[in-house]
Amino acid sequence: MSAVTDTFRNGVDTEKMFATLDLIKAQPELARFQFRATNRWIDGAHNRSAIKDFYAAGGEDESRGEAFRLDAGEPAILLGSDTGPNPAEYLLHALAACLTTSIVYVAAARKVRLTSVESTVTGDMDVRGALGVSDEPRNGFERIGVAFRLTGDAPPEKLREVVERAKARSAVYDMVTNGVPVAVEVTTA
Amino acid sequence: MSAVTDTFRNGVDTEKMFATLDLIKAQPELARFQFRATNRWIDGAHNRSAIKDFYAAGGEDESRGEAFRLDAGEPAILLGSDTGPNPAEYLLHALAACLTTSIVYVAAARKVRLTSVESTVTGDMDVRGALGVSDEPRNGFERIGVAFRLTGDAPPEKLREVVERAKARSAVYDMVTNGVPVAVEVTTA
């Protein structure tokens, strides 16, 4: 029983985690992943993504029995009927979720047991950009603020180090702060 | 009846849309919006965001009766138990959803009736970055590809122009391609 207790920390199987890291160090080609979403317009601001298969560690990962389905929308003030969070809100969620998971994994690796991780994420936007009314404000958020509240069995400095390391490794934090090249293709038929 | 038909195009109330644009042109201070998400860690890679209130057009918008709840997770190969799409997949969905809504709104404004808008979004990642195994690959996607398939009552060139204009105005496309300053604060207590 104590072996099981020692292996799992913050809900993460640390034995499996270190084995995964060793495997990827030995065979870097296994680190090639591709994630995907397919999206379909429904009506107005309502569209829906399906997320299921992905490429990982040398082959297609088909472990998911069913696709996750995500509905997007806009509130009435942005001409929608509130069929789901709007796309910019989904981006805030992606950022909070990625930083949180990174914090949890880093803490597990560093033998820190967390008791709570909560965050509030805000994004400020001048919608004249996205609505095409003015070229001056950018289309997206001018800035994003993330406020984390952490508790765990480590001193404050250690918890802050965990957050710093998570920022340095989070996939979505990297993308949102640094940007990613996006290629858009269009087929009309 | 024909007045109603003329006002709604692609599920968008174009009369309300043009009135909104006129109002924001006349009173640019109404264009200040703030969107928000609050996130709470549950266990391992499982965390959940709540998305509800936001600031818009000079005040708090409380039109949403209940919060949207979004569960994030990781698949087994990334040490989770598949409690939801992973954060990077949420970012792909945010991008697809924003470009799609932008296409639908731009088409409505330009009198193009769409019959379908579908997209496949892919993101390529070397997970050695995010897993902290190597400093060479970046943490996030190296590149994102978006493939749109559109049909509507306009010639192919016109549909392509709609997509180009949507790219030029999409909030999430701007953020993902250009990046956003992100400030992270930490409270440990």
Side-chain angles (χ1 to χ4, degrees):
Chain A
M1 287 303 288
S2 85
V4 172
T5 307
D6 288 336
T7 296
F8 275 83
R9 197 177 298 121
N10 302 329
V12 181
D13 185 341
T14 56
E15 198 171 291
K16 185 180 167 193
M17 177 167 62
F18 290 120
T20 300
L21 300 181
D22 287 343
L23 181 65
I24 286 177
K25 273 178 207 159
Q27 295 180 257
E29 67 275 15
L30 297 181
R32 302 284 343 153
F33 278 50
Q34 182 184 69
F35 292 107
R36 304 161 192 147
T38 58
N39 184 281
R40 190 170 60 83
W41 172 51
I42 296 173
D43 196 29
H46 186 198
N47 62 71
R48 182 178 292 152
S49 288
I51 293 172
K52 189 170 182 280
D53 296 338
F54 57 94
Y55 181 91
E60 284 295 309
D61 187 301
E62 293 171 344
S63 60
R64 289 172 175 162
E66 293 202 16
F68 296 112
R69 294 188 192 280
L70 301 173
D71 283 81
E74 292 289 353
I77 198 168
L78 289 172
L79 310 165
S81 55
D82 221 24
T83 49
N86 76 18
E89 290 172 321
Y90 269 112
L91 182 133
L92 296 179
H93 161 65
L95 179 62
C98 196
L99 283 168
T100 298
T101 298
S102 300
I103 287 169
V104 169
Y105 281 21
V106 167
R110 296 186 175 193
K111 297 188 167 46
V112 173
R113 287 186 193 275
L114 298 168
T115 44
S116 70
V117 184
E118 295 177 350
S119 56
T120 302
V121 189
T122 58
D124 293 300
M125 186 185 290
D126 184 327
V127 298
R128 286 181 298 164
L131 292 178
V133 169
S134 166
D135 286 330
E136 190 208 323
R138 68 178 294 177
N139 302 328
F141 293 132
E142 291 143 31
R143 72 192 75 81
I144 294 174
V146 187
F148 270 106
R149 298 168 296 284
L150 269 81
T151 57
D153 72 353
E157 317 84 76
K158 182 91 176 179
L159 293 175
R160 288 173 184 280
E161 281 172 25
V162 166
V163 176
E164 280 308 306
R165 176 68 176 172
K167 279 169 62 180
R169 290 301 180 184
S170 161
V172 176
Y173 181 82
D174 167 27
M175 291 190 277
V176 170
T177 55
N178 297 316
V180 183
V182 179
V184 179
E185 291 177 14
V186 184
T187 305
T188 58
Chain B
M1 286 302 287
S2 85
V4 172
T5 307
D6 287 337
T7 296
F8 274 85
R9 197 178 298 124
N10 303 328
V12 181
D13 185 340
T14 56
E15 197 171 293
K16 186 180 167 194
M17 177 166 63
F18 290 120
T20 300
L21 299 180
D22 287 343
L23 182 65
I24 287 178
K25 272 179 208 160
Q27 295 181 258
E29 67 276 15
L30 297 180
R32 302 283 342 152
F33 278 50
Q34 182 184 69
F35 292 106
R36 305 162 189 147
T38 59
N39 184 282
R40 190 170 59 83
W41 173 51
I42 296 173
D43 195 31
H46 187 197
N47 61 71
R48 183 178 293 154
S49 288
I51 293 173
K52 187 170 182 284
D53 296 337
F54 57 94
Y55 181 90
E60 284 294 310
D61 187 300
E62 294 171 344
S63 61
R64 289 172 174 161
E66 294 202 17
F68 295 113
R69 295 189 191 281
L70 301 174
D71 283 80
E74 292 289 352
I77 198 167
L78 289 172
L79 309 164
S81 55
D82 220 25
T83 49
N86 75 19
E89 290 172 322
Y90 269 111
L91 182 133
L92 296 180
H93 162 64
L95 179 61
C98 196
L99 283 169
T100 298
T101 297
S102 300
I103 287 168
V104 169
Y105 282 21
V106 167
R110 295 186 175 194
K111 298 188 166 47
V112 173
R113 288 185 191 276
L114 298 168
T115 44
S116 69
V117 183
E118 295 178 350
S119 57
T120 302
V121 189
T122 58
D124 294 299
M125 187 185 290
D126 184 326
V127 298
R128 287 181 297 163
L131 292 177
V133 169
S134 167
D135 286 329
E136 191 208 323
R138 69 179 293 176
N139 302 328
F141 293 131
E142 292 144 29
R143 73 192 74 80
I144 293 175
V146 187
F148 271 107
R149 297 169 296 287
L150 268 82
T151 57
D153 71 354
E157 315 84 74
K158 182 91 176 181
L159 294 175
R160 287 175 184 281
E161 281 173 25
V162 167
V163 176
E164 280 309 305
R165 176 69 177 173
K167 281 170 62 181
R169 289 302 180 183
S170 160
V172 176
Y173 181 81
D174 168 26
M175 292 190 274
V176 170
T177 55
N178 296 316
V180 183
V182 179
V184 179
E185 290 178 13
V186 185
T187 306
T188 58

